[in-house]
Amino acid sequence: MSTDRSVCHQRLVLEWVYGYRGHGCRNNVHINEDGDVVYFVAGVGVVLDSKGSMRTYHEHKDDILCLSLHQDKKLVASGEIGKNPNILIWDSITMDTISILQGGHEHGVSAVNFGGNKKHKLLVS
């Protein structure tokens, strides 16, 4: 009996994310400038609009532990767990990555928050 070892050229597409991570997290659901709900599940950032459409952000390499929305109601900072965790800054409207902050954490980023003014200051724990 022969086994077909050819490469599959199909690609999986995430259609919907079910659930919400509330355990061990605080202040992690926000409303962006378009009125969409911004939150996370596992390693995926989720933006859910009022019509039930969902957009997802997939740039984290491990589970997200914290998320903050900037005062401009557009930019998101999300921090992940892991040996060398990153903090990603991304746009909740376009879903584009703005910046990736690396280093300084060994086991995970437990909290992120933008500073109190319109400047792009980020507070991290």
Side-chain angles (χ1 to χ4, degrees), residues 64-66 78-82 85-87 101 105 107-112 124-125:
I64 301 170
L65 290 179
C66 55
S78 48
E80 63 192 15
I81 195 169
N86 294 327
I87 300 165
L101 308 174
H105 291 86
H107 303 290
V109 179
S110 60
V112 291
V124 180
S125 171

Side-chain angles (χ1 to χ4, degrees), residues 11-18 41 43-46 54-58:
R11 197 167 172 196
L12 295 176
V13 176
L14 182 62
E15 292 181 2
W16 197 260
V17 176
Y18 293 90
V41 177
V44 179
V46 178
M54 180 179 283
R55 296 186 315 275
T56 53
Y57 180 77
H58 302 269

Side-chain angles (χ1 to χ4, degrees), residues 49-119:
D49 72 20
S50 61
K51 296 175 186 157
S53 282
M54 180 179 283
R55 296 186 315 275
T56 53
Y57 180 77
H58 302 269
E59 300 304 316
H60 279 280
K61 61 184 181 183
D62 212 326
D63 284 358
I64 301 170
L65 290 179
C66 55
L67 181 141
S68 181
L69 186 67
H70 188 268
Q71 294 87 342
D72 69 5
K73 302 287 187 193
K74 220 173 122 173
L75 292 181
V76 175
S78 48
E80 63 192 15
I81 195 169
K83 186 173 180 181
N84 296 304
N86 294 327
I87 300 165
L88 282 77
I89 311 297
W90 49 282
D91 188 309
S92 66
I93 308 302
T94 66
M95 307 305 281
D96 292 332
T97 301
I98 307 301
S99 183
I100 300 174
L101 308 174
Q102 300 173 320
H105 291 86
E106 294 180 9
H107 303 290
V109 179
S110 60
V112 291
N113 195 11
F114 288 98
N117 57 29
K118 297 286 182 185
K119 302 258 183 203

Side-chain angles (χ1 to χ4, degrees), residues 21-40:
R21 179 179 175 145
H23 175 73
C25 302
R26 304 284 183 277
N27 194 29
N28 60 350
V29 178
H30 301 276
I31 306 294
N32 72 9
E33 73 174 4
D34 287 348
D36 301 337
V37 180
V38 180
Y39 63 102
F40 63 89

